[in-house]
Amino acid sequence: MPELTNPRAERVKAVRALAGRPARARSGRFLVEGPQAVREAVRAEHVRVHDLYVTDAAAERYGEIVSAAGGRGIVARTATPEVLDAMSADAQGVLAVADQVDVGLDDVLASRPRLVALLAHVRDPGNAGTVVRAADAAGADAVVLTRESVDLHNPKVVRSTAGSLFHLPVATGADLASAVGALHDRGVTVLAADGTGEHDIDDLLDVAGAAPDGVPDLAGPTAWVFGNEAWGLRDEDRALADAVVRVPIRGRAESLNLATAATVCLYASARAQR
């Protein structure tokens, strides 16, 4: 297959357009940028990769990506660095186009999850992607984004997941109240993470597996609700949860970044459950 050499070609413009939400909505596809994310995408049997673009240098350096793609019948098209740069400034010589990978909330719940991250009004792409990555690292079963949250397939979100987007189910477009109700119906305790919480996460870890009445047990199936980066969770959102839990600030920091707090909470549950 001939090398792509024209940065102004229609194919190049079509790929670049996927950085915008309208093109993603029309096509049902999205960009996977950089060797780490592309490597995980081509390895994931449930992910349909349509196109793989690499520079000659990247094809040599990341031969395992080209090989894994070939094993699934995905043809790697070589392109000049100028073409890859025109497609994406963040490709690092490797770029793929894939079908969107979000699932429905019912699909998440059908697996009877024990640990879920639920993002309510999370608008920052870097934070959303990092929570997906942290959930994957902590062994969570799924992530759920409400309809008010950032688009999962925003290129910044995808990059921030560092490939974890292809490791665990991520549901999008959920209504927070409905999602919490569905989790409750399946016996999942819903905890809201908030600096004003009446429960300290360290105290909950101390009693995990033997929590007294009225105290949430981190050893049981748990969904954590994380709110907006600027204003956290609304009163009505906190009221949906079984309890509100705070991560203690031991030093002089004013607060924790959303993704950092989420990582602490998810790992606390993972430790308690294991």
Side-chain angles (χ1 to χ4, degrees), residues 153-179:
H153 298 100
N154 177 306
K156 292 182 180 179
V157 176
V158 178
R159 289 197 301 273
S160 296
T161 72
S164 287
L165 176 60
F166 308 113
H167 295 166
L168 78 170
V170 183
T172 61
D175 172 75
L176 181 61
S178 298

Side-chain angles (χ1 to χ4, degrees), residues 68-137:
R72 294 186 56 199
I74 303 164
V75 177
R77 299 201 61 174
T78 58
T80 64
E82 292 76 18
V83 166
L84 261 293
D85 287 344
M87 288 178 170
S88 163
D90 296 287
Q92 302 172 59
V94 185
L95 177 72
V97 175
D99 279 351
Q100 295 182 16
V101 296
D102 52 328
V103 301
L105 180 61
D106 289 343
D107 295 323
V108 167
L109 297 175
S111 66
R112 305 199 67 82
R114 289 186 54 80
L115 182 56
V116 177
L118 207 169
L119 307 187
H121 301 274
V122 173
R123 307 282 175 78
D124 181 81
N127 274 329
T130 302
V131 173
V132 172
R133 184 178 182 180
D136 177 25

Side-chain angles (χ1 to χ4, degrees), residues 22 50 91 123 144 195:
H50 291 274
R123 307 282 175 78
V144 178

Side-chain angles (χ1 to χ4, degrees), residues 161-203:
T161 72
S164 287
L165 176 60
F166 308 113
H167 295 166
L168 78 170
V170 183
T172 61
D175 172 75
L176 181 61
S178 298
V180 169
L183 287 161
H184 279 151
D185 289 344
R186 286 159 179 80
V188 178
T189 297
V190 178
L191 302 179
D194 191 276
T196 65
E198 66 268 32
H199 297 282
D200 184 307
I201 196 167
D202 285 348
D203 294 338

Side-chain angles (χ1 to χ4, degrees), residues 210-238:
D213 291 343
V215 176
D217 191 346
L218 292 184
T222 302
W224 285 95
V225 183
F226 305 109
N228 180 268
E229 298 86 348
W231 37 264
L233 289 165
R234 302 174 302 186
D235 290 343
E236 56 265 37
D237 296 338
R238 285 194 295 270

